[in-house]
């Protein structure tokens, strides 16, 4: 988005005749520590492949670019030469005048009272000067977006909160700074510094921010708040350390203005799940100007074409539910978010505020057994379980880009899943029930889902809900509970998005019922070869594959509890069962499972073990590997699509077209070859993939495979033409013929590419050195 904004602002002056103050200065991002430098190297390798020039430079080079900087405490920096500065007021004026020339009407000094909605669709806006009819409304109200969203008859929840944001302006230096002096970002010092009329503009993100307006809007227009020198003092000290010559410079003023922040540091855009035609673009986390051009473009595409041209799920309003809009939650969370903007974020970090909001009934039991928690969509999920003899504090504080301290813990959990039996609490998954009085449920779902759901009662179908382009809006499993009733399991963060998608496409039929039953069931995943023994002992029913085949669902009693939905699947490719337990029985069933499982070596496991298992088995997950621009044909899932059955479903035409023309990217599994797990930087996600020395795509997720004793990455391989850079068809042959490397923070590691999971190593594992990763074409 920033790159697009840069290009747009660059040409604005030419197009509109209005000066925007655009000056290409370049930016320099400083690193005071090795970890910060690794983080910059990771960013640098990604920028280079998307066409944004950048390089890692030495402290000496920093001093040459900006002679006033003190560089003695730096270990390196990243230079982005094409970054620029503009005057925000002039850019706004230029965009507004260009819009007016194209027929847009602008009413200033007009306040919006509320948005009018009829039958779930925007119909107009009520202002203090009368009504305006419209089909689309975009809430770009910044710090007032939250209140404006709630002012409708049908409220729209937009989770953001304002904080005070300080920056300093000085008079010009004795020798005024050149207009093209680079902008400096010193994240370890929590400050940014840029030229301002020959002097300095410097602000930052302090450790102890001041949230404001929690009670609601206290001001009607943008105005500056009071100076607070005591509060700004740490940032000022940091600025003087970085630029000691400023000691004698006269300060013009300390500006304090409100800025809005969101619960996850990413802006909010997209259509409301509850009101059609109500779009949002807000919560820019202090980067409104740099993202504005790109964000405006994506939102325009969304309104005109129904979806943006890139996958921007991470920014979609529907990633949040009503649970993130509590004012107390937002106040506490933004106090953590604002400093985080400049904190060093290592892989797998978690928010500390707003936690323990949604929990499974087993939370306290698992916590007492050493569970370490992560949060997804407000739901607490176990990462791994710390054995009693481990130092808890050291584990919590170890944050690294290298081999993490939980490595051995997760290894023992994975081993237990392979050899005995483990329990993972997976209650956070989104769960819907769709029922009807007649055959309506089946008819509607057949159109909405890409796989055939007309299966015998008790069978489970892995399927996707696709959009018109054939991309995954959702990836889920559906169990047929009866002729007229279906149980659907989706990823945790799909709760709002999936509900909205179903509601949008289901007919208004009183005989058709869609119910969110996420909260009704606790889900336990029993993984491992002995899961069968534990369950048959608890249910007095044979659970072997002859009696309970794969992808089968049956209501059973487990222990004293009745009505447990048992499904023969584990989301990992390992043998085992998912148990969907009405929540009042959860504790009983868990205790029984643990007690009976004792003799089979049962233990708790967490999501890190699950990730390792699913990635080595080449299981792609929605939101990580799959998104709205990925089709089943691009990730080897042709078998999950009913193309040959002559039935219509959303996305069918696009898939038929793709089948005829070939795919332009292919999900591939990479096994790192010359990578030392103990000493080298780890791959996490987003690393560039090179084929025969040429950029071919990025990794989407990765994990250490304890079975293969190697790192495994999943990622999409593209075929960019060497002459034109255009995308060409990707065939299995193209993938198999390439030599691959994965770029981790600027260092390239050789990798073997596979289109199918590597099974031979699983059956008889040999020593690492003897392993020949032969090509396997059996799925």
């Amino acid at each position: 988005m920033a790159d697009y904004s840069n290009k747009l602002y660059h040409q604005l002056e030419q197009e509109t005749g209005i000066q925007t103050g655009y000056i290409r200065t370049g930016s320099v991002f400083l690193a005071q520590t090795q970890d910060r430098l690794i983080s910059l190297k990771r960013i640098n390798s990604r920028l280079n492949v998307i066409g944004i020039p950048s390089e890692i430079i030495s402290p000496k080079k920093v001093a040459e670019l900006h002679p006033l900087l003190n560089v003695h405490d730096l270990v390196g920096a990243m230079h982005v030469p094409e970054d620029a500065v503009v005057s925000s007021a002039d850019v706004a004026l230029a965009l507004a005048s260009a819009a007016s020339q194209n027929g847009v009407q602008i009413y200033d000094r007009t306040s919006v009272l509320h948005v009018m909605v009829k039958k779930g669709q925007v119909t107009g806006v009520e202002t203090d000067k009368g009504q305006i009819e419209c089909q689309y409304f975009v809430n770009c109200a910044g710090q007032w977006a939250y209140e404006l969203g709630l002012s409708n008859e049908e409220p729209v929840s937009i989770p953001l909160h304002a904080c005070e944001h300080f920056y300093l302006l000085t008079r010009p230096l004795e020798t005024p700074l050149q207009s093209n002096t680079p902008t400096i970002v010193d994240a370890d010092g929590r400050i940014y510094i840029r030229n301002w009329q020959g002097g300095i503009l410097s602000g930052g993100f302090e450790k102890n921010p001041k949230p404001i307006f929690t009670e609601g809007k206290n001001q009607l227009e943008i105005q500056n708040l009071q100076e607070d020198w005591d509060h700004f003092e740490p940032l000022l000290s940091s600025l003087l350390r970085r630029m000691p010559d400023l000691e004698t410079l006269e300060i013009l003023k300390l500006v304090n203005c409100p800025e809005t922040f969101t619960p996850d540091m990413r802006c909010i855009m997209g259509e409301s799940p509850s009101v059609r035609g109500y779009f949002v673009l807000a919560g820019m986390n202090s980067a409104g100007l740099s993202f504005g051009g790109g964000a405006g473009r994506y939102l325009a595409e969304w309104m005109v074409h129904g979806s943006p041209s890139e996958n921007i799920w991470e920014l979609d309003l529907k990633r949040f539910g009503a649970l993130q809009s509590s004012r107390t939650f937002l106040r506490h969370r933004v106090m953590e978010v604002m400093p985080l903007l400049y904190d060093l974020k290592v892989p797998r970090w978690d928010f500390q505020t707003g936690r323990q909001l949604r929990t499974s009934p087993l939370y306290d039991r698992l916590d007492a057994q050493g569970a370490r928690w992560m949060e997804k969509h407000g739901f607490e999920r176990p990462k791994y379980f710390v054995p009693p003899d481990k130092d808890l504090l050291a584990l919590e504080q170890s944050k690294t880009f290298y081999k993490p301290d939980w490595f051995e813990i997760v290894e023992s959990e994975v081993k237990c899943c392979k050899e005995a039996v483990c329990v993972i609490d997976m209650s956070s998954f989104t769960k819907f029930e769709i029922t009807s009085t007649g055959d309506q449920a089946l008819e509607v779902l057949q159109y909405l889902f890409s796989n055939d759901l007309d299966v015998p009662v008790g069978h489970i179908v892995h399927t996707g809900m696709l959009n018109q382009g054939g991309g995954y809006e959702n990836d889920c499993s559906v169990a047929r509970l009866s002729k007229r009733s279906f149980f659907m399991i989706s990823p945790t963060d799909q709760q709002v998005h999936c509900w909205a998608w179903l509601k949008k496409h289901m007919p208004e039929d009183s005989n058709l019922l869609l119910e969110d039953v996420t909260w009704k069931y606790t889900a336990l995943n029993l993984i491992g070869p002995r899961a069968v023994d534990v369950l048959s002992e608890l249910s007095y029913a044979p659970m072997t594959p002859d009696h309970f085949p794969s992808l089968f669902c049956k209501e059973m009693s487990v222990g004293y509890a009745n009505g447990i939905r048992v499904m023969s699947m584990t989301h990992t490719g390992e043998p085992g069962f998912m148990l969907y337990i009405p929540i009042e029985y959860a504790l009983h069933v868990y205790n029984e499972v643990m007690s009976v499982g004792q003799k089979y070596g049962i233990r708790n496991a967490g999501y890190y073990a699950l990730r390792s298992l699913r990635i080595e088995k080449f299981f792609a997950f929605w939101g990580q590997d799959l998104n709205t621009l990925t089709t089943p044909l691009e990730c080897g899932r042709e078998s999950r699509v009913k193309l040959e059955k002559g039935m219509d479903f959303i996305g069918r035409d696009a898939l038929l077209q793709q089948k005829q023309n070939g795919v332009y990217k292919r999900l591939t599994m990479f096994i790192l070859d010359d990578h030392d797990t103990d000493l080298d930087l780890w791959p996490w996600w987003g690393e560039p993939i090179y084929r025969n020395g040429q950029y071919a795509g990025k990794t989407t997720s990765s994990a250490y495979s304890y079975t293969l004793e190697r790192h495994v990455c999943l990622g999409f391989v593209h075929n960019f033409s060497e002459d034109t850079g255009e995308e060409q068809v990707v065939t299995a042959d193209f993938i198999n013929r390439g030599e691959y490397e994965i770029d981790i923070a600027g260092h390239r590691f050789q990798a073997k590419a596979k289109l199918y999971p590597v099974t031979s190593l699983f059956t008889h594992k040999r020593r690492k050195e003897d392993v020949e990763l032969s090509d396997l074409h059996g799925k």
Side-chain angles (χ1 to χ4, degrees), residues 45 49 668-675 683 686-699 713-717 735 737-754:
S45 64
V49 295
T668 309
M669 173 172 166
F670 295 95
I671 300 163
L672 291 192
D673 259 2
D674 54 348
H675 184 272
E687 289 85 12
I689 300 164
Y690 288 88
R691 179 187 181 276
N692 299 347
Q694 193 189 353
Y695 173 64
K698 285 200 295 253
T699 64
C713 305
L714 306 185
F716 282 93
V717 172
I735 290 190
R737 278 204 328 265
E739 297 280 323
Y740 293 90
E741 294 167 306
I742 307 286
D743 178 330
I744 306 176
H747 185 99
R748 294 190 193 179
F749 294 91
Q750 288 180 341
K752 289 261 195 329
K754 302 281 160 206

Side-chain angles (χ1 to χ4, degrees), residues 702-767:
S702 65
Y704 182 79
S705 160
Y706 296 95
T707 316
L708 301 175
E709 295 182 5
R710 311 275 173 96
H711 256 99
V712 176
C713 305
L714 306 185
F716 282 93
V717 172
H718 301 251
N719 179 1
F720 299 114
S721 154
E722 285 187 41
D723 309 327
T724 61
E726 280 182 23
E727 293 204 44
Q728 299 172 312
V729 171
V730 174
T731 59
D733 188 46
F734 174 83
I735 290 190
N736 292 332
R737 278 204 328 265
E739 297 280 323
Y740 293 90
E741 294 167 306
I742 307 286
D743 178 330
I744 306 176
H747 185 99
R748 294 190 193 179
F749 294 91
Q750 288 180 341
K752 289 261 195 329
K754 302 281 160 206
L755 285 171
Y756 302 99
V758 182
T759 41
S760 68
L761 299 173
F762 292 66
T763 40
H764 35 243
K765 193 166 131 202
R766 289 163 270 162
R767 283 176 55 79

Side-chain angles (χ1 to χ4, degrees), residues 267-450:
C267 69
I268 299 174
M269 65 194 313
E271 190 172 14
S272 150
S274 52
V275 181
R276 288 190 305 283
Y278 192 116
F279 284 79
V280 178
L281 181 49
M284 304 305 285
N285 301 290
S286 201
L289 190 66
S290 85
F291 295 157
R297 171 197 167 188
Y298 287 141
L299 198 75
E301 291 173 344
W302 208 323
M303 294 167 75
V304 174
H305 304 303
S307 62
S309 56
E310 299 278 339
N311 166 45
I312 52 172
W313 164 246
E314 295 191 328
L315 312 177
D316 193 326
L317 170 64
K318 293 188 277 293
R319 72 187 187 272
F320 295 121
L323 59 106
Q324 281 97 349
S325 59
S326 135
R327 288 312 270 171
T328 312
F329 165 80
L330 288 170
R331 183 182 174 91
H332 290 175
R333 176 54 69 84
V334 294
M335 288 172 75
E336 180 183 13
V337 156
M338 197 168 149
L340 264 173
L341 288 168
Y342 273 3
D343 278 349
L344 181 69
K345 289 175 282 294
V346 297
R348 312 266 171 96
W349 58 275
D350 299 292
F351 287 110
Q352 302 303 308
T353 51
R355 295 294 296 270
Q356 295 177 15
L357 185 57
R358 300 172 75 196
T359 59
S360 141
L362 307 176
Y363 180 86
D364 288 343
R365 284 297 313 271
L366 301 178
D367 198 54
Q369 295 177 75
R372 284 291 156 269
W373 301 92
M374 63 201 256
E375 166 257 337
K376 187 82 175 263
H377 204 59
F379 215 115
E380 297 293 329
R381 322 201 298 185
K383 298 193 271 196
Y384 49 79
F385 287 78
V386 181
D389 53 341
K390 277 271 184 192
D391 178 359
L392 297 189
L393 204 63
L395 258 172
E396 289 300 293
Q397 285 162 354
S398 77
K399 293 178 165 50
T400 179
F401 290 100
Y402 290 91
K403 179 181 175 179
D405 284 358
W406 41 257
F407 183 83
E408 279 82 17
I409 295 175
V410 175
E411 178 173 31
S412 56
E413 290 180 9
V414 167
K415 192 169 182 230
C416 187
C417 289
K418 297 268 185 196
E419 296 171 3
V421 56
C422 274
V423 182
I424 304 182
D425 182 341
M426 294 179 68
S427 306
S428 70
F429 274 5
T430 298
K431 301 174 273 291
F432 292 162
E433 272 177 25
I434 300 119
T435 46
S436 60
T437 49
D439 293 336
Q440 301 95 325
L442 179 65
E443 286 163 18
V444 168
L445 295 185
Q446 285 287 52
Y447 179 63
L448 286 181
F449 289 89
S450 56

